[in-house]
Amino acid sequence: MAAEAAGSDLIHVVALLAAGVVAVPIFKRIGLGSILGYLAAGVVIGPFGIGIFSESEAILHVAELGVVMFLFIIGLEMQPSRLWGLRREIFGLGALQVGVCALLLTGVGLAGGFPVSQSFVAGAGFVLTSTAIVMQLLEERGEMAAPKGQRIVSILLLEDLAIVPLLALIAFLAPGGADMSLTQRLTEVGIGLAAIVGLVLAGRYLLNPFFRILADARAREVMTAAALLVVLGSALAMQLSGLSMAMGAFLAGVLLSESTFRHQLEADIEPFRGVLLGLFFLAVGMSLDLHVVAQSWRLVAIYVVAYMVIKAIGIYLVARILKTGHREALERAVFMAQGGEFAFVLYSAAAAVGIIDSQANATLTAIVIISMVLTPLAILALRYLTPRDEQSLEGVDIADGLTGSVLIIGFGRFGQIASQPLLLRGIDVSIIDNEVEMIQAAADFGFKVYYGDGTRLDILRAAGAGRARAVLICVDKPDVAVRIAKLIKAEFPLLTVLARAFDRGTALQLIRADVDFQIRETFESALVFGGSTLEALGVDPEEVAEVIEDVRHRDSARFELQLAEGVRAGARFLKGNIGTPIPTPLSQPRRSGQALNEETAGVLHKSEPAD
């Protein structure tokens, strides 16, 4: 029997892993993202799909730890000073958005003919955005640390805090809930505040010494276990005090963000976070009761659309009132229009005290889950339906009628250094770039850079390419550099063109494009770096110069061979570190060979080249 139970459990584990491994790459490949892949896989293998799992709730409770660990890692990136700097966004923007959206969504329920208490519970639950989905989307888009990403994180933190007063309101709205004394309510609030203060004190005075003792033991597995203990212990403390587990993990991360063990902790938690977060999305997908959706599909469809649209309108209005730009306000509205995992907690609490029945709980849960499923699709639709932000050219001059002797295309880190010898020599230089921020930043340092795209012939003519003595292609994108080189050589064949090459392959393409000079952007600096290393190791400077010259000779020989035979040629000119003997010499002998007998002398005489 035990063996059969173990085999059954193993089947479930394999099914979970297989569902994620199969679905996520497929959904990412077709551009729908990993979250939708996990959710869809959960629906398929869940109790309302092919039925591999009969109870999704147990998996959901375990998988919530993925959200907890995710919030811990976010906290590690959020130093206390940085969090304090976001206080206005958290308690101003966050509170206003939660309040406005709660009122609007309660109004949706009232308009549908439901009582005030049920309308409030349904709307308040939907107000609490999915931390897991939004954080994952921000991370995938690389916007977590951006200002607009930080504002979204601030709102999510306030929503995590809001679960406490909302649960208290549910207890008040419950039949007979008004009989709860003021002392009981103050006691609950006091317990929550005491838990937060206790966690802050423990983090400030105990965690660093604790990890220092463990580090001295030099046991990596103990450090990993301690990291898990801190995360899960903080989450448990908050849960027992009536707060959210995610809030506890976040606070623990913040308190350890300035610790010397921060990076070690992040590395230890990361593997668990990724697996459990994926499991959370799978469990959410399994929780979608397709029977309820089928029975009440009109009601579900109407309220999914109504809640998402009204909430998005509320978010957009709050953002615009607080002077946020249209594009950012629209993105925030779409990102946060769904309900979240805390709605499940709120609806379960409301069902437990009799505000809603089990059927309403299942229906509201289905509405929230479907909204979570639709969020990645809504973001994709937003991306395709809204035009890209056009760069503002305020304070920037467009290249037109330039007359410089030298034209520099691209004024990043390479172009800035390349311009210095020319400017110090008094040569008239014209500079163009297509990055407005770069142009504006360069102006602060005394450079006049014009806006222009070097891949367009009309811009090249306006920038004075036809009158210049030389053009320097200093752009960082290799394909763009080659395209500009080909265009200039086709239209201005007598013009001297010097180009920056991103790598060896780009250098070969530039030579074939007939540029007059090209240089790989890291070649010279790498030679200087290597030579300085030899000198630091005590090698004589003259010998260092010989070695560097030998490297140049090898590189040049290999480059010539690659031009003739392709980029894979010339490997024999490289010196590897695996010690495999190479039969052909890699460098020219410093002295001519001398024969030690008549037979050797005859061989050397035959091998000498003819005059």
Side-chain angles (χ1 to χ4, degrees), residues 82-97:
R82 190 173 171 191
L83 188 62
W84 178 250
L86 291 171
R87 63 190 183 280
R88 290 185 179 178
E89 283 80 3
I90 295 173
F91 297 104
L93 170 61
L96 183 59
Q97 178 174 306

Side-chain angles (χ1 to χ4, degrees), residues 355-372:
I355 296 177
I356 58 176
D357 57 24
S358 58
Q359 178 68 20
N361 184 14
T363 303
L364 288 170
T365 299
I367 289 170
V368 170
I369 293 173
I370 293 173
S371 74
M372 295 167 77

Side-chain angles (χ1 to χ4, degrees), residues 46 202 527:
L527 288 181

Side-chain angles (χ1 to χ4, degrees), residues 567-583:
V567 74
R568 303 289 296 177
R572 66 189 181 89
F573 290 104
L574 288 171
K575 175 64 176 175
N577 65 346
I578 58 175
T580 303
I582 299 178

Side-chain angles (χ1 to χ4, degrees), residues 74-386:
I74 298 301
L76 286 176
E77 302 293 334
M78 191 85 66
Q79 288 84 5
S81 57
R82 190 173 171 191
L83 188 62
W84 178 250
L86 291 171
R87 63 190 183 280
R88 290 185 179 178
E89 283 80 3
I90 295 173
F91 297 104
L93 170 61
L96 183 59
Q97 178 174 306
V98 168
V100 169
C101 290
L103 286 174
L104 291 174
L105 295 183
T106 300
V108 172
L110 292 173
F114 294 97
V116 174
S117 58
Q118 294 182 4
S119 300
F120 173 77
V121 168
F126 203 89
V127 164
L128 302 177
T129 307
S130 173
T131 302
I133 285 182
V134 174
M135 290 290 200
Q136 182 76 3
L137 289 169
L138 288 175
E139 187 178 49
E140 288 179 356
R141 292 163 63 104
E143 295 176 351
M144 189 79 74
K148 62 181 180 180
Q150 291 292 285
R151 283 187 280 272
I152 291 176
V153 171
S154 301
I155 297 168
L156 292 173
L157 290 176
L158 191 280
E159 290 180 355
D160 283 354
L161 288 171
I163 189 67
V164 180
L166 287 175
L167 288 172
L169 278 173
I170 283 178
F172 179 78
L173 293 172
D179 298 332
M180 183 181 288
S181 68
L182 178 63
T183 303
Q184 290 175 299
R185 299 187 191 285
L186 291 177
T187 301
E188 291 181 354
V189 173
I191 290 173
L193 291 175
I196 293 175
V197 172
L199 185 59
V200 169
L201 291 175
R204 189 172 183 85
Y205 298 108
L206 297 180
L207 287 183
N208 268 320
F210 173 63
F211 280 108
R212 196 172 294 115
I213 292 170
L214 295 179
D216 291 339
R218 301 185 183 279
R220 176 66 184 272
E221 68 280 1
V222 175
M223 285 291 286
T224 302
L228 290 172
L229 175 62
V230 167
V231 176
L232 300 181
S234 303
L236 178 61
M238 291 296 102
Q239 186 184 42
L240 293 176
S241 63
L243 296 168
S244 73
M245 292 194 297
M247 176 58 64
F250 176 80
L251 284 176
V254 170
L255 294 170
L256 287 168
S257 62
E258 295 179 335
S259 166
T260 54
F261 304 100
R262 168 189 161 191
H263 297 293
Q264 176 70 44
L265 292 169
E266 188 171 355
D268 288 339
I269 292 297
E270 181 65 30
F272 299 98
R273 190 274 295 182
V275 171
L276 288 172
L277 194 60
L279 186 60
F280 170 78
F281 292 127
L282 280 169
V284 170
M286 290 182 213
S287 302
L288 180 60
D289 192 334
L290 297 179
H291 296 157
V292 169
V293 175
Q295 290 171 4
S296 310
W297 67 268
R298 289 187 179 87
L299 182 68
V300 170
I302 289 171
Y303 275 91
V304 166
V305 174
Y307 275 166
M308 290 189 74
V309 170
I310 296 300
K311 183 181 178 183
I313 290 172
I315 294 170
Y316 180 84
L317 289 176
V318 169
R320 296 295 283 163
I321 289 170
L322 297 179
K323 309 299 183 185
T324 302
H326 166 71
R327 182 62 178 265
E328 182 183 339
L330 190 61
E331 285 187 353
R332 188 188 303 165
V334 175
F335 262 71
M336 305 188 76
Q338 85 288 142
E341 50 276 3
F342 288 124
F344 306 149
V345 177
L346 207 64
Y347 295 155
S348 297
V353 298
I355 296 177
I356 58 176
D357 57 24
S358 58
Q359 178 68 20
N361 184 14
T363 303
L364 288 170
T365 299
I367 289 170
V368 170
I369 293 173
I370 293 173
S371 74
M372 295 167 77
V373 171
L374 291 177
T375 297
L377 297 175
I379 291 171
L380 282 175
L382 178 69
R383 186 184 306 168
Y384 288 111
L385 294 177
T386 55

Side-chain angles (χ1 to χ4, degrees), residues 373-434:
V373 171
L374 291 177
T375 297
L377 297 175
I379 291 171
L380 282 175
L382 178 69
R383 186 184 306 168
Y384 288 111
L385 294 177
T386 55
R388 292 185 177 181
D389 286 337
E390 293 185 2
Q391 297 188 91
S392 172
L393 298 180
E394 183 179 354
V396 175
D397 293 330
I398 297 175
D400 187 23
L402 306 186
T403 58
S405 301
V406 174
L407 172 61
I408 297 179
I409 305 173
F411 203 61
R413 54 191 174 87
F414 189 94
Q416 292 165 19
I417 297 173
S419 70
Q420 289 302 289
L422 305 176
L423 294 170
L424 287 171
R425 186 65 177 78
I427 294 174
D428 186 12
V429 175
S430 298
I431 308 170
I432 66 171
D433 199 295
N434 62 354

